[in-house]
Amino acid sequence: DAGVIQSPRHEVTEMGQEVTLRCKPISGHNSLFWYRQTMMRGLELLIYFNNNVPIDDSGMPEDRFSAKMPNASFSTLKIQPSEPRDSAVYFCASNQKARPQAGELFFGEGSRLTVL
Amino acid sequence: AQSVTQLGSHVSVSEGALVLLRCNYSSSVPPYLFWYVQYPNQGLQLLLKYTTGATLVKGINGFEAEFKKSETSFHLTKPSAHMSDAAEYFCAVSGTGGTSYGKLTFGQGTILTVHP
């Protein structure tokens, strides 16, 4: 079975440019999460969706970040304009929000973003 | 609010030695607890989880963890380390109700090094 698929795997861009990261969750999973990983801050939850609806976006750093989930099989995380401090690995994860699977996240391989 | 503290950002053991990675949590509700492993340039994979029932849980690759409510701990152990265990390990806590349900809070991670 295909796991969580993220693209691009690597992105190098210049400050001020728009960045769009994409995620395809596992079929049948109804929750999707975007995490950011840095050396300084570890793993941070940015936003999560349940049944395509954003439930908690309190981790989104600022207005430059936005996330959408237009359907059950696709989500995007957009940064506009990007800044060097946005450099990180961005992970998408999905799961079935039902006991006892809650918390049993399936992660993609991540998108490594470098903003110059 | 929930939080996780992993004691020791780096742990080094010899091949064949006991592995002990420490995790303490804080949660205002009965928690679900997880250990995830991350190999270089990959996403996180679930090692094991505690939800309810038996407090000693066994996971993949010979790892196990014990939930101790009185100590608010969920330490990860493996009797005999293997070179392939070298990775970063994350402890995580999930709420069991409301908007925290299914939402993971991760510790800072512990890098495990295994020496020949």
Side-chain angles (χ1 to χ4, degrees), chain A residues 7-8 11 18-22 74 76-79:
Chain A
S7 64
E11 175 91 5
E18 177 179 296
V19 174
T20 300
L21 307 178
R22 298 172 177 80
F74 184 65
T76 60
L77 178 66
K78 185 174 293 187
I79 308 172

Side-chain angles (χ1 to χ4, degrees), chain A residues 104-105, chain B residues 21 34-39 44-49 57-64 76-78 85 87-90:
Chain A
E104 192 169 339
L105 298 186
Chain B
L21 305 183
F34 305 82
W35 276 99
Y36 281 80
V37 60
Q38 184 179 30
Y39 298 101
L44 281 70
Q45 303 170 35
L46 181 67
L47 262 183
L48 50 79
K49 65 179 179 182
V57 292
K58 296 184 184 299
I60 61 172
N61 301 337
F63 284 93
E64 61 183 35
L76 181 71
T77 60
K78 181 174 180 177
D85 294 327
E88 188 163 14
Y89 292 80
F90 293 89

Side-chain angles (χ1 to χ4, degrees), chain A residues 4 6 17 23 33 50 59-60 67 86 91 105-106 114:
Chain A
V4 175
Q6 291 187 246
Q17 296 298 305
C23 176
F33 303 76
N50 189 44
M60 295 287 262
D86 302 330
F91 287 102
L105 298 186
F106 294 80
T114 302

Side-chain angles (χ1 to χ4, degrees), chain A:
Chain A
D1 290 339
V4 175
I5 300 172
Q6 291 187 246
S7 64
R9 289 294 313 278
H10 301 274
E11 175 91 5
V12 180
T13 190
E14 294 189 345
M15 183 173 63
Q17 296 298 305
E18 177 179 296
V19 174
T20 300
L21 307 178
R22 298 172 177 80
C23 176
K24 177 179 170 56
I26 293 173
S27 177
H29 284 186
N30 58 1
S31 291
L32 182 140
F33 303 76
W34 282 101
Y35 280 88
R36 178 171 68 176
Q37 186 178 36
T38 62
M39 289 289 290
M40 292 298 295
R41 301 173 69 91
L43 272 163
E44 304 173 276
L45 177 63
L46 300 178
I47 185 171
Y48 86 93
F49 297 83
N50 189 44
N51 293 325
N52 311 337
V53 175
I55 302 300
D56 183 352
D57 66 354
S58 59
M60 295 287 262
E62 49 198 270
D63 291 345
R64 297 185 297 106
F65 285 70
S66 62
K68 294 182 179 179
M69 192 165 186
N71 57 62
S73 59
F74 184 65
S75 177
T76 60
L77 178 66
K78 185 174 293 187
I79 308 172
Q80 168 62 21
S82 58
E83 296 182 2
R85 60 191 167 125
D86 302 330
S87 298
V89 181
Y90 292 82
F91 287 102
C92 177
S94 69
N95 76 350
Q96 293 177 332
K97 191 179 178 183
R99 299 176 191 276
Q101 294 88 351
E104 192 169 339
L105 298 186
F106 294 80
F107 282 78
E109 294 190 319
S111 295
R112 182 176 296 275
L113 173 65
T114 302
V115 183
L116 304 174

Side-chain angles (χ1 to χ4, degrees), chain B residues 10-104:
Chain B
H10 289 80
V11 170
S12 181
V13 300
S14 298
E15 191 173 20
L18 171 71
V19 175
L20 171 60
L21 305 183
R22 299 177 187 273
C23 171
N24 288 89
Y25 71 90
S26 173
S27 177
S28 57
V29 298
Y32 287 175
L33 294 161
F34 305 82
W35 276 99
Y36 281 80
V37 60
Q38 184 179 30
Y39 298 101
N41 300 314
Q42 294 187 24
L44 281 70
Q45 303 170 35
L46 181 67
L47 262 183
L48 50 79
K49 65 179 179 182
Y50 168 79
T51 53
T52 58
T55 56
L56 180 64
V57 292
K58 296 184 184 299
I60 61 172
N61 301 337
F63 284 93
E64 61 183 35
E66 186 171 10
F67 170 58
K68 292 187 176 181
K69 184 178 178 181
S70 61
E71 299 177 8
T72 61
S73 70
F74 191 57
H75 301 331
L76 181 71
T77 60
K78 181 174 180 177
S80 176
H82 192 274
M83 297 294 290
S84 61
D85 294 327
E88 188 163 14
Y89 292 80
F90 293 89
C91 183
V93 61
S94 168
T96 56
T99 58
S100 66
Y101 186 64
K103 174 182 160 183
L104 287 181

